[in-house]
Amino acid sequence: MPVPVLAAAAELIAPQLKDPDPATQEAAAAVHARLVAAIEGATPVIRLNEV
């Protein structure tokens, strides 16, 4: 998955981290953590025409 898509998803889920419902907060935190981990673990892509 492209990093910009992961970053957009993380940004969209972030407001749910402050939801009044603890179950929503917990689920959002789990999803957000996975998205951030995927972004941090992403391998840079080198395109041959850009080298």
Side-chain angles (χ1 to χ4, degrees):
M1 175 104 18
V3 171
V5 174
L6 295 171
E11 190 175 324
L12 288 172
I13 197 90
Q16 302 308 315
L17 296 170
K18 296 181 181 178
D19 193 273
D21 178 31
T24 300
Q25 285 181 11
E26 185 178 335
V31 171
H32 192 264
R34 285 182 175 216
L35 289 167
V36 170
I39 292 167
E40 291 173 351
T43 304
V45 175
I46 299 174
R47 293 184 175 83
L48 294 177
N49 60 353
E50 294 178 357
V51 174

